[in-house]
Amino acid sequence: MKRKVIIATVTAAVLIGGGTATAFGVAGDDGDGDRAGTASQTHLRPAEHDDDHADGQDRDDDGRDHDDDGMDDGDRAEGTGAGALSHDRAARAVLKAVPGTVTELELDTERDRLVWEADVLGKDAKWHEVKIDAVKGGVVTNRVDDHKDDDRATVRAARIDAAGIGDKAAARTGGTVTSVSLEADRDDHDKGRWEAETVDKKGQEHELVLDGTSGKVLHHETEQDDD
């Protein structure tokens, strides 16, 4: 009877306290003879530890590191240009792959890889879509784009290329270029205008519209202005 009480008491203690417990039971018969003590140990699994990273980053189910603000490294680089080839180096890499005129250059993330995406009107008179690894500079994609709108008149009217317009936008804002795009003028479709986006050292985003012939800034707004 005493043995059952002792075992029940120890078992309850193990369940409540967790960890490792040592229980001493009473061996032998139910008589009044000498009884030798025996010991048995019960091991419980230690509590699970939090798997958060010590550096303040959490790893989501997709395996990508995320900072405390919820942005993964790829998204952050895409938005700021951090760690990427500059717009002018990217433009040179694109034109090396497809000689012609770059009409759009944009920093983007594709399958966890940071890339510069470009539209090019090649010297072969065909539209090409080219993607450059924004870190290593290698060509990721180079294919003919049969679905590109045929705005050749706008391309011919532009006197400043993608690299040159990016330089002007960067100088105006003191920031890093994340995209440039040649568009037809709303009033005169034969006249081109460039739209550019940059991010300055304070993280402020800038959007600019520049004349495709002179490079003059026609419009400039920031994220703060929008707010």
Side-chain angles (χ1 to χ4, degrees), residues 52-222:
D52 288 351
H53 296 275
D55 59 1
Q57 291 185 331
D58 299 334
R59 187 176 297 276
D60 285 350
D61 294 337
D62 59 3
R64 297 164 67 178
D65 285 332
H66 293 255
D67 289 338
D68 293 336
D69 60 5
M71 294 180 64
D72 61 65
D73 295 339
D75 290 339
R76 186 178 302 281
E78 176 186 332
T80 63
L85 294 175
S86 62
H87 69 280
D88 54 339
R89 291 182 62 189
R92 289 197 296 270
V94 169
L95 292 176
K96 184 177 180 181
V98 179
T101 301
V102 178
T103 63
E104 184 173 353
L105 191 62
E106 181 178 7
L107 196 60
D108 198 3
T109 305
E110 183 179 88
R111 297 180 181 177
D112 296 339
R113 173 188 288 180
L114 194 64
V115 297
W116 280 102
E117 295 184 349
D119 288 338
V120 185
L121 179 57
K123 290 185 176 181
D124 58 1
K126 297 180 180 179
W127 285 103
H128 296 258
E129 179 185 345
V130 181
K131 296 180 182 179
I132 301 293
D133 188 307
V135 177
K136 299 180 180 179
V139 176
V140 177
T141 301
N142 182 357
R143 66 181 183 85
V144 173
D145 186 358
D146 296 326
H147 302 290
K148 174 70 175 176
D149 293 337
D150 193 13
D151 48 2
R152 299 168 191 263
T154 302
V155 178
R156 289 193 296 267
R159 294 290 181 267
I160 303 178
D161 62 11
I165 211 69
D167 290 342
K168 289 182 176 296
R172 173 63 179 260
T173 63
T176 300
V177 176
T178 56
S179 75
V180 293
S181 177
L182 181 62
E183 306 291 341
D185 189 273
R186 297 173 183 175
D187 300 323
D188 184 356
H189 288 273
D190 290 336
K191 182 180 179 181
R193 60 188 180 92
W194 285 96
E195 296 180 357
E197 295 182 0
T198 70
V199 180
D200 62 27
K201 296 179 180 179
K202 295 181 180 180
Q204 186 79 56
E205 297 179 3
H206 299 257
E207 296 181 1
L208 303 94
V209 178
L210 304 95
D211 186 278
T213 302
S214 65
K216 179 182 178 180
V217 176
L218 305 175
H219 181 71
H220 179 191
E221 67 180 29
T222 66

Side-chain angles (χ1 to χ4, degrees), residues 21-50:
T22 302
F24 291 90
V26 180
D29 55 27
D30 294 334
D32 296 331
D34 294 335
R35 292 165 183 168
T38 60
S40 62
Q41 289 186 336
T42 303
H43 296 277
L44 296 183
R45 186 177 61 183
E48 295 182 357
H49 296 284
D50 188 15

